[in-house]
Amino acid sequence: MSRKLTRTLRRWLYIGHRWVGIVTCLFFAMWFISGVVMMYVAFPGLSDKERLAALPHIVWEKVTLSPDDAMKKAGATHYPRELRLNMIAGEPVYRLADWDGKRQTISAIDGRAITDVTEQQALAVARHHPASQSPQLEEIVDRDQWSVVARYDPLRPFYLVHLGDDAGTKLYISSRSGEIALDTNRTERVWNWLGSIPHWIYPTVLRKDQPLWRQVILWTSGTCLVVGITGIWIGILRVRIKRRYASGNITPYRGWMAWHHVTGLIAGLFVLTWMFSGWLSVNPGEYFANRNTPREVLQRYTGHDAPTIATAIRALADKRAAEARFVWLDGMPLVILASHDGTRTVIDAASGEIARLPQENLWKAATTLLPGSRLESRLTIGEYDAYWYAHHNDRELPVLRAKFDDDAQTWFHISPVTGEILGRIDSSRRTYRWMFNALHSFDFQLLLVYRPAWDIVVWLLSILGTIVSVSGVVIGWRYLKR
């Protein structure tokens, strides 16, 4: 009875793997091929450096409203998460972002709330972009393939402006605030149809419904994970290393089946870990902690919560800057001026003089982040490591790392230039870093330091995974034809 049951279970194992694998191998092949494209072409976005490069210099003479008055006009009851000053179509404006995601734009000339931007103003914004040749309004869009995610919701709808350059650059300019939310070029748009969109299962009609999209990812990758496990199991059952088959081979199969069997055994562990890490990408069950720093933690660090920052605007009149941000650090009001190339200068808000931020003062401010815990380690990170590294993005170096002895073993990364909190990571997020980033993107520091090594490893594994997948598709097609 036991042997009969074993044979029955094994038969259903083969049948299940075969028929479910016919569909899932299409996904496997799509993911491996699109993943190679994503190695070199990222999904369209807008880096801070790109955003700053498209802003004109602040005309300080036109600024008649103080930051305090701007917060009062906006009805702020506490200091906002973000308070910036920059230009829009020749007019200086304050941009406020509250902790609940609400955004407001206040004129720095007369204090009026700016809630809509004209087509002409949008074109004026576009003319300052470095790639601008002959900007023209293409259309007004609320949500499309490149602006589908929820973080753009407070800025919709957008003026879609074509800059007329050879790269085919298009800007998404908010019709509410005049901010550039996103830029894309022709290369990004074309290659992402072969990269990120199929890889993330990212068509607009699905991605605009975040809960539905998340469930599709969970169930699709989860099913593929089960197929991968059964495939390795069958592969092990059918392989013979010592007592080989009559043909002298380790596999009983020939042709595409042999390719599928042998490459599946060679790349099986990679395929399995890669599928598992992909399944983790949407954080099933919200098992891993949120990466965001809570408001109360940041408020303790800034040392100020009232909607005030007494800034002498006239004292900044001789400073050339594309943007000014008004912040507090350990009870000290500061202005962070940013230039077109991303260079930042910290200014004392009261005097207008360059502010000095001794590291000892930053470490002292860091002790307020988690008052119930001890700051057990203070490190200055001068080179990228396993938890602070650049891959498809830029990260500041050097950076300060403050380690606390709380239950979550929290680390904070702090900019020694501006004193800003650049990131927060606890033991849960560090585990996620290894289970997702390392297993899925191969973000191992040794490979990233010697970058060609990373390309070679990922290419080789992707080729093996593609062979397993394509052979499975061919085998499945033949079964269906029968």
Side-chain angles (χ1 to χ4, degrees):
M1 186 65 180
S2 178
R3 182 177 294 181
K4 183 178 179 182
L5 178 61
T6 300
R7 281 200 297 265
T8 301
L9 291 176
R10 182 178 292 189
R11 179 171 176 269
W12 281 108
L13 174 68
Y14 292 163
I15 292 173
H17 179 77
R18 177 188 302 162
W19 292 107
V20 179
I22 288 174
V23 176
T24 56
C25 271
L26 290 170
F27 284 100
F28 277 112
M30 176 186 73
W31 284 326
F32 281 116
I33 294 170
S34 60
V36 172
V37 175
M38 291 176 65
M39 291 169 63
Y40 306 104
V41 183
F43 194 76
L46 185 72
S47 69
D48 204 48
K49 192 172 182 178
E50 290 173 328
R51 183 182 64 82
L52 290 169
L55 293 175
H57 285 113
I58 297 173
V59 182
W60 296 103
E61 294 79 8
K62 291 186 177 182
V63 181
T64 60
L65 199 73
S66 71
D68 289 39
D69 290 334
M71 286 185 278
K72 189 178 297 183
K73 292 283 186 181
T77 57
H78 50 75
Y79 204 80
R81 178 172 58 84
E82 196 173 75
L83 176 58
R84 297 179 284 133
L85 173 70
N86 54 39
M87 302 291 291
I88 169 176
E91 180 178 11
V93 296
Y94 288 101
R95 302 194 185 279
L96 297 88
D98 213 340
W99 295 92
D100 59 3
K102 180 182 178 182
R103 292 171 177 261
Q104 295 185 75
T105 302
I106 304 295
S107 169
I109 295 178
D110 55 21
R112 76 185 188 284
I114 297 175
T115 57
D116 60 90
V117 171
T118 67
E119 175 185 334
Q120 293 307 312
Q121 287 176 312
L123 291 172
V125 170
R127 290 189 190 100
H128 286 282
H129 193 280
S132 181
Q133 297 292 327
S134 53
Q136 293 184 341
L137 178 66
E138 190 168 293
E139 61 177 318
I140 298 176
V141 298
D142 184 67
R143 189 188 306 266
D144 66 4
Q145 184 63 64
W146 316 115
S147 61
V148 66
V149 293
R151 70 172 177 271
Y152 297 122
D153 288 352
L155 303 173
R156 304 182 196 279
F158 299 107
Y159 290 109
L160 183 58
V161 179
H162 194 296
L163 296 186
D165 61 329
D166 293 338
T169 306
K170 297 181 182 181
L171 299 185
Y172 289 72
I173 300 173
S174 171
S175 63
R176 295 186 183 184
S177 65
E179 295 176 80
I180 299 176
L182 173 68
D183 67 359
T184 72
N185 59 53
R186 188 180 301 108
T187 299
E188 290 175 332
R189 294 190 295 270
V190 170
W191 281 105
N192 266 278
W193 283 104
L194 301 174
S196 299
I197 294 173
H199 195 86
W200 295 336
I201 312 179
Y202 227 58
T204 306
V205 66
L206 175 62
R207 185 58 183 88
K208 67 182 181 181
D209 188 336
Q210 166 76 9
L212 175 61
W213 172 80
R214 187 171 179 275
Q215 289 301 315
V216 168
I217 297 298
L218 280 172
W219 284 99
T220 304
S221 57
T223 303
C224 290
L225 181 59
V226 173
V227 170
I229 293 171
T230 58
I232 292 176
W233 189 359
I234 293 171
I236 293 172
L237 289 174
R238 299 294 285 167
V239 71
R240 290 183 183 178
I241 303 297
K242 293 182 179 180
R243 190 169 57 87
R244 300 196 176 191
Y245 291 93
S247 62
N249 294 325
I250 63 173
T251 175
Y253 307 114
R254 288 183 293 178
W256 284 104
M257 279 292 293
W259 278 104
H260 189 69
H261 185 201
V262 175
T263 54
L265 286 171
I266 295 171
L269 183 61
F270 157 66
V271 172
L272 200 60
T273 56
W274 191 75
M275 280 307 309
F276 175 66
S277 57
W279 182 68
L280 289 179
S281 65
V282 290
N283 194 5
E286 303 296 329
Y287 180 79
F288 296 99
N290 192 302
R291 72 176 68 188
N292 297 327
T293 304
R295 173 183 176 269
E296 58 272 15
V297 173
L298 291 176
Q299 192 275 319
R300 285 195 296 268
Y301 182 71
T302 60
H304 186 88
D305 194 38
T308 58
I309 181 168
T311 303
I313 294 294
R314 292 182 180 178
L316 304 174
D318 61 337
K319 307 291 192 302
R320 282 177 64 83
E323 183 172 81
R325 287 192 295 123
F326 303 90
V327 302
W328 287 86
L329 173 61
D330 196 27
M332 177 171 57
L334 301 171
V335 182
I336 300 175
L337 301 180
S339 63
H340 284 146
D341 63 1
T343 303
R344 294 162 298 168
T345 305
V346 183
I347 304 295
D348 183 285
S351 67
E353 301 295 324
I354 293 178
R356 305 297 176 187
L357 299 179
Q359 280 196 16
E360 195 56 42
N361 290 8
L362 297 180
W363 291 122
K364 175 178 174 292
T367 61
T368 65
L369 287 165
L370 300 176
S373 303
R374 181 174 63 88
L375 178 60
E376 64 177 4
S377 178
R378 309 190 308 179
L379 300 174
T380 300
I381 309 299
E383 297 180 352
Y384 292 129
D385 64 10
Y387 298 102
W388 188 261
Y389 60 93
H391 188 50
H392 297 312
N393 62 346
D394 295 323
R395 272 186 166 175
E396 183 176 335
L397 278 180
V399 68
L400 307 183
R401 178 178 291 163
K403 295 184 176 182
F404 288 84
D405 67 351
D406 60 314
D407 292 339
Q409 294 293 294
T410 306
W411 300 357
F412 289 93
H413 289 104
I414 303 170
S415 168
V417 177
T418 64
E420 296 172 280
I421 303 295
L422 301 178
R424 166 182 168 270
I425 183 171
D426 58 16
S427 58
S428 175
R429 294 305 303 184
R430 288 193 292 275
T431 300
Y432 185 76
R433 180 261 179 277
W434 292 111
M435 297 183 72
F436 172 63
N437 298 89
L439 294 180
H440 205 72
S441 302
F442 282 79
D443 291 347
F444 297 102
Q445 188 58 22
L446 182 63
L447 295 179
L448 295 178
V449 169
Y450 302 101
R451 175 57 195 268
W454 179 82
D455 295 78
I456 292 169
V457 169
V458 177
W459 264 97
L460 286 175
L461 292 174
S462 297
I463 289 171
L464 286 172
T466 302
I467 293 172
V468 176
S469 308
V470 172
S471 60
V473 171
V474 173
I475 295 164
W477 172 248
R478 289 178 175 176
Y479 273 117
L480 289 175
K481 284 179 69 177
R482 291 176 192 174

